[in-house]
């Protein structure tokens, strides 16, 4: 995996020189069709069969996450629904209205074996480009 170098200012001290950091470079996004074709080539399933299973997996995930269940796929990780909300002074004042609807999200925690495998097998190399640095004021600008 390649990485680029970015320059990030200290948001607490905008007059500081900032520092340089490595940041991942993503060369492509593998979509459902590509993934289904890849899996089909290494199994006895067709790409259409694989795609149908993955699409149904997504529907099942949505149903279980909406119902407040965690989904653990051994070897991959755990998915769960999370949200944040505003505090109240008393228990009686807390209701669904305290939850910021925009904060509802799906979180993923990778399985330890997956993390170990990636850490042990990844090869990190500096991207070979003429312009190696990008100014980033804060991490929200990073892609």
């Amino acid at each position: 995996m390649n990485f680029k170098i970015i320059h990030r200012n200290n948001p607490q001290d905008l007059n500081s020189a900032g520092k340089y950091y490595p940041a991942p470079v993503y060369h492509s996004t593998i979509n459902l069709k590509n993934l289904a074709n890849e899996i089909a080539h290494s199994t006895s399933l067709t790409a259409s069969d694989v795609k149908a299973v993955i699409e149904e997996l997504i529907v099942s995930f949505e149903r279980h996450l909406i119902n407040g269940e965690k989904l653990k796929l051994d070897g991959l990780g755990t998915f769960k629904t999370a949200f944040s909300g505003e505090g109240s002074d008393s228990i009686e004042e807390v209701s669904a209205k305290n939850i910021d609807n925009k904060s509802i999200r799906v979180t993923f925690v990778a399985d330890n074996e997956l993390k170990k495998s990636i850490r042990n097998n990844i090869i990190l190399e500096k991207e070979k480009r003429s312009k190696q640095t990008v100014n980033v004021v804060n991490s929200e600008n990073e892609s």
Side-chain angles (χ1 to χ4, degrees), residues 33-49:
K33 181 180 177 184
N34 298 131
L35 187 61
N37 284 327
E38 184 178 327
I39 293 170
H41 281 93
S42 61
T43 67
S44 61
L45 300 171
T46 67
S48 297
D49 290 338

Side-chain angles (χ1 to χ4, degrees), residues 6 8-9 11 135-143:
I6 61 167
R8 194 177 295 155
N9 292 327
N135 283 322
V136 178
V137 176
N138 62 43
S139 60
E140 290 178 18
N141 292 344
E142 214 175 303
S143 53

Side-chain angles (χ1 to χ4, degrees), residues 2-4 25 125-132:
N2 290 354
F3 65 89
K4 62 186 174 184
V25 174
E125 296 178 350
K126 188 188 289 187
E127 184 178 46
K128 294 174 177 72
R129 290 185 3 177
S130 58
K131 188 175 180 184
Q132 295 255 342

Side-chain angles (χ1 to χ4, degrees), residues 18-86:
K19 292 189 177 187
Y20 295 92
Y21 298 89
V25 174
Y26 302 102
H27 297 286
S28 62
T29 299
I30 307 302
N31 64 24
L32 178 56
K33 181 180 177 184
N34 298 131
L35 187 61
N37 284 327
E38 184 178 327
I39 293 170
H41 281 93
S42 61
T43 67
S44 61
L45 300 171
T46 67
S48 297
D49 290 338
V50 173
K51 187 172 182 274
V53 168
I54 294 172
E55 288 171 344
E56 191 55 38
L57 179 71
I58 293 167
V59 170
S60 294
F61 263 51
E62 182 179 3
R63 182 175 53 253
H64 290 288
L65 291 168
I66 286 170
N67 289 330
E69 298 168 296
K70 293 182 189 179
L71 292 150
K72 181 173 180 12
L73 296 181
D74 295 332
L76 181 62
T78 303
F79 297 81
K80 66 180 181 177
T81 306
F83 53 79
S84 57
E86 192 171 319

